[in-house]
Amino acid sequence: MYAKKCNKKRYEEVFLLNRVIVIGGGWSGCAAALAARKAGAEVVLIEKTDLLLGLGNVGGIMRNNGRYTAAEENIALGAGELFAITDELSRHRNIDFPGHQHASLYDVIKVEPYVRRFLQEQGIEIRTMARAIDVETESVSISIGNGKGVEKRRKYLKNITLADGTVLAGDVFIECTGSTGPMGNCLTYGNGCCMCVLRCPAFGPRVSITQKAGLNDIMGQRKDGAFGAFSGSGKLEKASLSDEIQRALNEKGVAIIPLLPDQVAKEKLELKVCQQYALEEFADNIVLLDTGYAKIMTPFFPLEKLRKVPGMENARYIDPYAGGKGNSIRYLSVAERENNMKVSGIENLLCGGEKSGLFVGHTEAITTGTLAGYNAARLIKGMRPLELPPQLALGDLISYANEKIKTKEGLLKRYTFAGAEYFERMKEKGLYTTDVQVVQKRAKKYDLANIYKEKIL
């Protein structure tokens, strides 16, 4: 827990435990925990379900379009471990599908235990089925202005309370709870709880730490004015598909099945969170990707209609179980933050993943989580948090999304290295490349090569 004795300069508070608490064990939470641990902090990672990686157990798409550049930038900055795992577990590499090139598809069945074991080997304490439900804050008077008696009140988190009554104190906290659910939101803004991998009925609803600390969260919108957006894909049991479709998935990683005119529902493109996949091809066809399961690239598709598609007569949803009716609703709880990932209004709270912006994807979650974890250690040390420069795709995405979310138009957008508005920006700015040497030179030019490997504490 932080000490009340504080110096005049910002970020010079004195800490006692070198302890970072990460709330939420998705890709961003895992990345934050790893980055803070590598920097020397003692790290506790709490996750409300019995699985790490959250929606990463459903996704699986890496290195497509600008995510290739972003992955290599993270690696050049010293945050390559999680990408090494997804690369190792890729069932298919360098594949193309509509609107996307050189993608890798990791095995969603294998990835979670690999990541969990790796984090434990690094000395990170992992607590699953540990749901944060409340916080305690404290305001501290800070003397500023070279001792001329000017005081400023600053707010800190002291501890968090778990559903079982456990109280966890820390020096710095990182919220990576995501923006999906809980069940009431999926009912209000979607088609009800569709029993996704987050399993809120079993493990309890997501609780916003920022809201519990007295802050207001931002909610993304759709073009029709409704809040949130549907997750853009689901999983089918691959064995429930025809031998021909299974063979295409196993050999090529992709299967594209044309739909009859009366089966096409282009209006669903507007519902998708994943705007990089809101292309005509994804409405005119069933697009399947092999991630161990058959990843169906649509928010939902009525089962009776799906079973009328040739080769899918026996199709069965695995996630969400009610994938014929709907999907999870996301982007209902985004924190106001700075470009160094610190939450505005609380001095020792950072954020990553969807909690930190209208981001889409695992690479984006790892990017924001890693910066948050690294800066948690810098805060404890009394150093100014790092802000990545816009000359890197990583820094540009973080700052651009933060700028756009403050506008009405920006609330309707989603930001990803993989497509839509931001990928076009990447190309226009000359940030997109698949040349690893170019990326490494960028990192060195801005004195950021292997910065995430530095021991701070």
Side-chain angles (χ1 to χ4, degrees), residues 310-337:
M312 307 189 79
E313 293 84 358
N314 302 315
R316 179 178 175 179
Y317 283 98
I318 296 296
D319 184 274
Y321 273 114
K325 177 185 177 183
N327 214 317
S328 57
I329 298 294
R330 294 154 67 181
Y331 304 107
L332 299 171
S333 182
V334 178
E336 293 188 25
R337 62 160 174 89

Side-chain angles (χ1 to χ4, degrees), residues 192-208:
C193 175
C194 291
M195 292 170 280
C196 74
V197 71
L198 301 182
R199 298 162 290 163
C200 296
F203 295 106
R206 170 188 58 78
V207 172
S208 169

Side-chain angles (χ1 to χ4, degrees), residues 26-27 52-60 106 180 196-198 231 319 328 330 354 362:
W27 272 120
L52 298 181
L53 300 187
L55 297 176
N57 292 294
V58 182
Y106 69 71
T180 304
C196 74
V197 71
L198 301 182
S231 290
D319 184 274
S328 57
R330 294 154 67 181
E354 288 181 13
H362 313 322

Side-chain angles (χ1 to χ4, degrees), residues 64 82 105 115 155 188 212 279 330 347 372 430:
N64 52 322
L82 298 180
L105 304 177
V115 171
K155 193 174 188 178
T188 302
K212 287 292 183 180
L279 307 174
R330 294 154 67 181
E347 299 302 316

